[in-house]
């Protein structure tokens, strides 16, 4: 929880700096690159979390992996290294993307389903999110077979759980209470 709050503070600071310099789109691209690269590379993630690897090696590795990034992003990496918080980099990138979308007036709707969304279902979800929030949204589909069926929709702080697993758990609780 403390890490999440710190990540939000770092993300807000970088967004503020990028807004002041009119580089929000470029920095958002950097954050998406960082987010995707770290998610796909176990070695990079392990390096960020390792207490054994020195800060100078982490810095040179990150700057080598993310060549050509905006100075605001380089400044973020320097700050995280100075504060010994490199483990927050992926979460800061994720929070930055969310804040950037909110600033633009759109948002990311996370839909967890047991199977991948079809284009028709994705269109229905987008329409429902627009109806509920009044804002456009981008869909992020997470496939989790453990929900058995249905879906879990999360937009910002609001979550709607219409999964079969959730309904079965409700039934189970009713039977154990009565």
């Amino acid at each position: 929880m403390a890490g999440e709050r710190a990540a939000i503070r770092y993300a807000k600071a970088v967004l503020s700096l990028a807004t002041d310099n009119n580089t929000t789109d470029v920095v958002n691209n950097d954050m998406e690159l960082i987010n995707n690269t770290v998610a796909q590379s176990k070695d990079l993630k392990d390096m960020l979390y390792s207490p054994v690897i020195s800060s100078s090696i982490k810095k040179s590795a990150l700057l080598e992996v993310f060549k050509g990034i905006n100075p605001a992003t380089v400044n973020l990496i320097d700050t995280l290294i100075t504060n010994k918080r490199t483990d927050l980099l992926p979460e800061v990138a994720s929070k930055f993307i969310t804040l950037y979308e909110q600033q633009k007036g759109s948002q990311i709707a996370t839909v967890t389903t047991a199977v991948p969304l079809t284009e028709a279902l994705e269109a229905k979800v987008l329409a429902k999110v627009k109806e509920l929030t009044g804002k456009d949204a981008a869909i992020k589909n997470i496939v989790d077979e453990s929900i058995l069926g249905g879906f879990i929709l999360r937009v910002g702080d609001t979550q709607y759980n219409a999964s079969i697993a959730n309904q079965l758990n409700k039934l189970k609780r009713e039977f154990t209470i009565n």
Side-chain angles (χ1 to χ4, degrees), residues 65-112:
V65 170
F66 302 113
K67 283 184 181 173
I69 56 176
N70 187 278
T73 309
V74 173
N75 189 23
L76 168 66
I77 291 171
D78 286 340
T79 304
L80 291 174
I81 287 172
T82 302
N83 295 336
K84 299 192 182 326
R85 302 299 302 262
T86 55
D87 58 316
L88 289 179
L89 183 61
E91 195 167 356
V92 171
S94 177
K95 298 297 182 193
F96 180 92
I97 294 166
T98 303
L99 292 169
Y100 173 77
E101 293 294 331
Q102 288 173 351
Q103 182 179 356
K104 280 181 43 181
S106 66
Q107 55 201 346
I108 297 174
T110 305
V111 182
T112 306

Side-chain angles (χ1 to χ4, degrees), residues 139-156:
I139 295 284
K140 177 181 176 186
N141 184 210
I142 298 171
V143 178
D144 181 3
E145 295 174 1
S146 70
I147 69 168
L148 304 177
F151 64 93
I152 301 170
L153 174 64
R154 183 172 189 89
V155 182

Side-chain angles (χ1 to χ4, degrees), residues 2-159:
E4 183 178 346
R5 286 197 309 259
I8 290 171
R9 286 194 300 270
Y10 282 114
K12 284 181 178 178
V14 174
L15 181 62
S16 176
L17 180 64
T19 302
D20 291 347
N21 295 331
N22 292 325
T23 57
T24 52
D25 293 335
V26 176
V27 174
N28 185 59
N29 291 340
D30 291 347
M31 295 300 168
E32 287 178 350
L33 174 67
I34 290 169
N35 200 24
N36 295 334
T37 305
V38 173
Q40 294 172 1
S41 173
K42 183 182 179 331
D43 292 338
L44 185 57
K45 194 179 298 180
D46 290 344
M47 189 254 327
L48 288 173
Y49 289 101
S50 175
V52 178
I53 299 173
S54 73
S55 296
S56 61
I57 292 173
K58 287 181 182 182
K59 180 178 180 177
S60 63
L62 287 170
L63 294 178
E64 184 64 31
V65 170
F66 302 113
K67 283 184 181 173
I69 56 176
N70 187 278
T73 309
V74 173
N75 189 23
L76 168 66
I77 291 171
D78 286 340
T79 304
L80 291 174
I81 287 172
T82 302
N83 295 336
K84 299 192 182 326
R85 302 299 302 262
T86 55
D87 58 316
L88 289 179
L89 183 61
E91 195 167 356
V92 171
S94 177
K95 298 297 182 193
F96 180 92
I97 294 166
T98 303
L99 292 169
Y100 173 77
E101 293 294 331
Q102 288 173 351
Q103 182 179 356
K104 280 181 43 181
S106 66
Q107 55 201 346
I108 297 174
T110 305
V111 182
T112 306
T113 54
V115 295
L117 283 177
T118 63
E119 286 186 27
L121 281 174
E122 193 172 311
K124 287 181 182 178
V125 170
L126 285 172
K128 191 65 174 173
V129 169
K130 175 104 174 160
E131 177 186 322
L132 292 172
T133 64
K135 295 180 181 178
D136 290 327
I139 295 284
K140 177 181 176 186
N141 184 210
I142 298 171
V143 178
D144 181 3
E145 295 174 1
S146 70
I147 69 168
L148 304 177
F151 64 93
I152 301 170
L153 174 64
R154 183 172 189 89
V155 182
D157 294 337
T158 307
Q159 178 171 306

